[in-house]
Amino acid sequence: MRILAAMSGGVDSAVAAARAVEAGHDVVGVHLALSRAGGTLRTGSRGCCTIEDAMDARRAADRLGIPFYVWDFSERFRDDVIDDFIAEYQAGRTPNPCMRCNEKIKFAALLERALELGFDAVCTGHYATLVDGPGGLELHRASDNAKDQSYVLGVLTADQLAHTYFPLGSTPSKALVRAEAEARGLSVAQKPDSHDICFIPDGDTRGWLAEKVGTATGEIVDRSGAVVGAHEGAHGFTVGQRRGLKLGVPAPDGKPRFVLEVRPVSNTVVVGPKEALAIGEISGGRFSWAGSAPADAEFACHVQIRAHAEPVEATAHLDADGVRVVPEVPLDGVAPGQTAVLYLGTRVLGQFTIDRTVSAVPVDA
């Protein structure tokens, strides 16, 4: 095949490109410039897409003997990922920018351009596997559960899966990938993995949002509506948060309180006991299927609500309004805006953005 290898400058994408070359494919490397004012250097494992990362990707491509290009996707990234991130927080939701980047940038904008230029597929260093199933191509978990990234790929559609290539999915461990990079003479063999939100490399999401949307004093209330504190912007809080609340009124039982809900219209934050974070039902309207859609309107599955959360047995219900999922045991600290990915065994069925949650604990409990 003619393969476009997305090379982030990390060890995974470099080894993925190397395996594509070794498999006999015609490979071209590309690094995506996602910021017009990208930092020159990384700080440890924080952030990505810096000039240093672009240079690391180029060195890897040179080592592999493949053509290499840098494509400017900064405007698309700003519109589809950064602006979406800000808008979601302003709406009282908790977005996942990595999901949006995969959906809008790596497997939409990049794949679209790749196909226009005559490439057959885009190759990435994601840990996931593709399987030819009875209903067509299926997306499955990686062999290494510790590195499995099928959750963040749950946004891919059947058409996109048909043009993707994940060479690392069957690798038993990340240690083997690093050893392979070392053996191939790739300088990124021991480079730290990136984490945190790439466009907020210092990790201060609240401070970053305050700069973008400003501050506005509001109330922090308990489940009964009693005022227990104040804040400088509801956008700075997420469901499940415990630290940084600065409550002026202690809980009657003296136990810590957690953010249960963010109400952007009234600029109010609702707090309560940890047990009130238990969610007995989630639903959403923006959904997609990773392959063939389920045949039944109601089916058993597992639901996963974070990249590294444990999947929970559940029953999914499909109707004209979207997807509704009832877990066998309550989910912990779910917020609107998060992505719920549905699995059948190791197979990714699809995903939806959570619009509504129903507490498993009554208000007067």
Side-chain angles (χ1 to χ4, degrees):
M1 293 189 296
R2 191 159 184 250
I3 298 289
L4 184 67
M7 303 182 71
S8 66
V11 62
D12 293 327
S13 60
V15 171
R19 290 186 181 183
V21 171
E22 190 172 63
H25 300 299
D26 178 10
V27 182
V28 173
V30 63
H31 178 81
L32 301 185
L34 301 180
S35 172
R36 291 287 176 89
T40 301
L41 299 174
R42 291 157 52 101
T43 302
S45 58
R46 289 189 179 275
C48 65
C49 311
T50 63
I51 295 173
E52 179 187 354
D53 291 315
M55 293 171 62
D56 285 340
R58 180 176 292 279
R59 279 190 286 267
D62 288 345
R63 179 70 182 177
L64 299 176
I66 61 175
F68 177 82
Y69 301 91
V70 175
W71 287 355
D72 183 359
F73 275 28
S74 59
E75 187 172 334
R76 183 78 179 259
F77 185 76
R78 182 199 63 206
D79 293 344
D80 290 340
V81 180
I82 297 178
D83 288 353
D84 175 82
F85 181 84
I86 295 171
E88 287 289 275
Y89 262 101
Q90 287 178 307
R93 295 153 64 89
T94 302
N96 185 324
C98 294
M99 300 289 287
R100 205 61 62 229
C101 185
N102 282 335
E103 177 187 14
K104 299 292 187 179
I105 306 299
K106 295 176 183 174
F107 297 98
L110 178 61
L111 181 55
E112 287 167 9
R113 184 177 294 184
L115 295 177
E116 289 172 357
L117 293 174
F119 289 93
D120 299 303
V122 166
C123 166
T124 73
H126 286 99
Y127 288 78
T129 55
L130 295 173
V131 175
D132 285 318
L137 201 61
E138 298 175 352
L139 175 64
H140 285 253
R141 292 188 185 277
S143 298
D144 181 6
N145 282 332
K147 291 298 295 180
D148 173 57
Q149 293 174 299
S150 60
Y151 172 87
V152 296
L153 297 171
V155 291
L156 302 190
T157 65
D159 288 343
Q160 290 170 331
L161 290 176
H163 297 285
T164 57
Y165 184 44
F166 301 130
L168 304 188
S170 60
T171 306
S173 73
K174 178 63 175 276
L176 292 177
V177 171
R178 291 195 181 279
E180 181 177 335
E182 196 80 55
R184 292 181 181 275
L186 296 170
S187 61
V188 293
Q190 300 305 320
K191 185 175 180 178
D193 292 338
S194 61
H195 62 77
D196 295 322
I197 300 172
C198 66
F199 51 88
I200 311 178
D202 65 0
D204 183 12
T205 301
R206 180 183 289 191
W208 186 87
L209 284 167
E211 289 182 3
K212 299 298 181 182
V213 302
T215 59
T217 302
E219 295 178 339
I220 301 177
V221 303
D222 64 18
R223 300 183 89 193
S224 71
V227 177
V228 296
H231 64 77
E232 295 184 349
H235 58 262
F237 296 83
T238 58
V239 172
Q241 179 179 332
R242 173 187 172 184
R243 299 185 182 279
L245 301 184
K246 299 179 181 178
L247 302 179
V249 179
D253 58 7
K255 293 182 179 179
R257 284 182 286 200
F258 298 76
V259 175
L260 305 180
E261 185 182 352
V262 177
R263 298 172 180 170
V265 175
S266 61
N267 195 29
T268 303
V269 176
V270 182
V271 298
K274 181 175 176 60
E275 52 268 25
L277 289 171
I279 297 298
E281 181 180 308
I282 58 176
S283 58
R286 190 170 70 181
F287 62 90
S288 63
W289 303 114
S292 56
D296 300 319
E298 180 178 317
F299 55 90
C301 62
H302 282 79
V303 62
Q304 187 170 326
I305 58 169
R306 297 182 187 88
H308 302 293
E310 287 294 323
V312 176
E313 291 186 29
T315 301
H317 307 264
L318 309 181
D319 57 34
D321 296 324
V323 184
R324 180 171 60 88
V325 174
V326 180
E328 293 293 321
V329 296
L331 302 172
D332 182 40
V334 186
Q338 286 180 248
T339 301
V341 176
L342 305 182
Y343 290 82
L344 187 61
T346 62
R347 180 192 169 191
V348 176
L349 295 176
Q351 61 81 38
F352 65 93
T353 300
I354 300 169
D355 294 328
R356 178 173 173 268
T357 63
V358 178
S359 177
V361 180
V363 175
D364 56 356

